[in-house]
Amino acid sequence: MLKILVVDDEMFVRRGIVMETDWAAMDCAVVAEASNGEEALEAVHKYRPDLIISDIRMPRMDGIELLKTLRQEGNEVRVIFLTAYSEFEYAKQALRYFAFDYLLKPFEDGELEECVLRAKKEIEEQRDDRKNQEQQTVLAAPEEQGDKSRYIREALNYIAEHYGDSDISIATVSAAVGISEGHLSHLFKKETDYTVAAYITRYRMRAAMKLLEDCRNRVSEVAEQVGYRDITYFSSTFKKIVGMTPSEYQNRRE
């Protein structure tokens, strides 16, 4: 659901946008209102909206200054500006700070909804792209990055064969390879850019993602297959690395 912030110094205009728009039908929800840019900035920090619908001319901090401040903070939130015809040239300044769009007041029936839906589509596509990039990062195997020493090749092979063991650790890997934990830790980090523990976790997550692509595999079964006895810990680890829970990931594949 898209989170919306509505900003306008005219209360009746603001309330009209909030109350007369069918947000639920667009899978959106108004999480906050503000009467000027300063209040809007506080609301952004508190509620983290996905989309801001804002008047341009407002006291204390206008819409352009609000957008400029957000961009300086690195906030990429979409902003739709509402402006009168007499402010049309002023509204063009918003494009310098990558406003999503602007509508001339009074806008016609359906015009705001159409603009919101376009913004929603773009936001969802960007989210999907980021999730895919994160997943590809997880799936990118560090062992493919250049030549490795004999010890590290053996360590990688051991992990590939034993990642499903719940007790696998740097101690079991170093014992299998035949060098000390300290020596293995140094070499592994140097040659893969990962610690042994981090690599094992990511290897397990790659395996879990592949298993979850089959909707017949239950999350609890997948957790056990990749070495986790505690399904809650598995789920939290999966979400931290992949960006969504195992169930959410599996549902996206259906």
Side-chain angles (χ1 to χ4, degrees):
M1 180 170 286
L2 214 65
K3 296 186 292 184
I4 310 291
L5 168 63
V6 179
V7 189
D8 199 302
D9 59 316
E10 296 184 36
M11 184 186 68
F12 291 111
V13 173
R14 188 175 70 247
R15 295 303 298 162
I17 293 172
V18 173
M19 302 302 295
E20 297 176 13
T21 305
D22 191 350
W23 298 108
M26 297 187 289
D27 195 28
C28 298
V30 176
V31 295
E33 300 176 38
S35 61
N36 59 64
E38 290 182 359
E39 290 181 5
L41 197 59
E42 293 179 5
V44 169
H45 295 158
K46 182 176 181 179
Y47 297 102
R48 301 186 180 279
D50 303 298
L51 177 65
I52 299 173
I53 299 171
S54 176
D55 192 15
I56 285 187
R57 292 286 192 182
M58 296 181 293
R60 297 172 65 177
M61 178 188 285
D62 66 18
I64 300 294
E65 190 62 28
L66 167 64
L67 179 58
K68 180 181 178 181
T69 302
L70 290 171
R71 295 298 183 251
Q72 289 173 342
E73 294 179 351
N75 193 323
E76 299 179 356
V77 62
R78 268 55 170 195
V79 178
I80 297 172
F81 279 124
L82 309 178
T83 180
Y85 182 77
S86 60
E87 302 164 354
F88 186 70
E89 290 300 322
Y90 185 64
K92 289 183 179 179
Q93 296 182 39
L95 301 179
R96 292 168 50 194
Y97 302 107
F98 304 102
F100 179 77
D101 207 344
Y102 51 87
L103 300 176
L104 293 177
K105 296 190 293 186
F107 40 83
E108 298 179 359
D109 289 345
E111 194 173 5
L112 176 62
E113 289 84 350
E114 186 273 335
C115 195
V116 169
L117 288 173
R118 282 194 292 109
K120 182 173 182 286
K121 180 180 178 181
E122 186 174 293
I123 291 167
E124 290 174 343
E125 288 176 349
Q126 185 180 50
R127 285 175 177 172
D128 289 341
D129 288 343
R130 287 178 175 173
K131 287 177 180 178
N132 288 334
Q133 289 173 5
E134 291 170 356
Q135 291 162 16
Q136 290 303 316
T137 299
V138 176
L139 288 170
E143 64 265 30
E144 297 172 355
Q145 300 173 6
D147 297 331
K148 302 291 185 293
S149 65
R150 176 175 65 85
Y151 290 125
I152 299 306
R153 290 199 304 271
E154 291 179 1
L156 293 172
N157 288 334
Y158 182 87
I159 293 170
E161 294 173 0
H162 297 274
Y163 69 89
D165 298 346
S166 61
D167 61 349
I168 189 173
S169 65
I170 187 172
T172 59
V173 177
S174 62
V177 173
I179 58 177
S180 69
E181 292 182 30
H183 191 193
L184 175 62
S185 178
H186 173 74
L187 287 178
F188 204 93
K189 179 67 174 177
K190 179 181 178 182
E191 296 188 32
T192 71
D193 290 329
Y194 286 86
T195 65
V196 175
Y199 179 83
I200 292 172
T201 298
R202 279 160 176 74
Y203 197 100
R204 285 171 159 174
M205 294 304 106
R206 291 199 301 273
M209 289 166 72
K210 291 177 182 178
L211 290 168
L212 288 167
E213 289 176 1
D214 186 341
C215 62
R216 293 173 297 182
N217 292 326
R218 298 172 59 186
V219 173
S220 58
E221 295 170 342
V222 171
E224 186 175 352
Q225 288 183 59
V226 298
Y228 289 87
R229 294 175 178 172
D230 186 339
I231 187 173
T232 301
Y233 181 61
F234 165 70
S235 296
S236 63
T237 303
F238 189 95
K239 184 174 183 179
K240 181 179 179 181
I241 294 177
V242 180
M244 64 186 78
T245 67
S247 296
E248 289 171 341
Y249 181 82
Q250 191 170 54
N251 290 336
R252 280 165 53 88
R253 298 307 207 192
E254 293 181 353

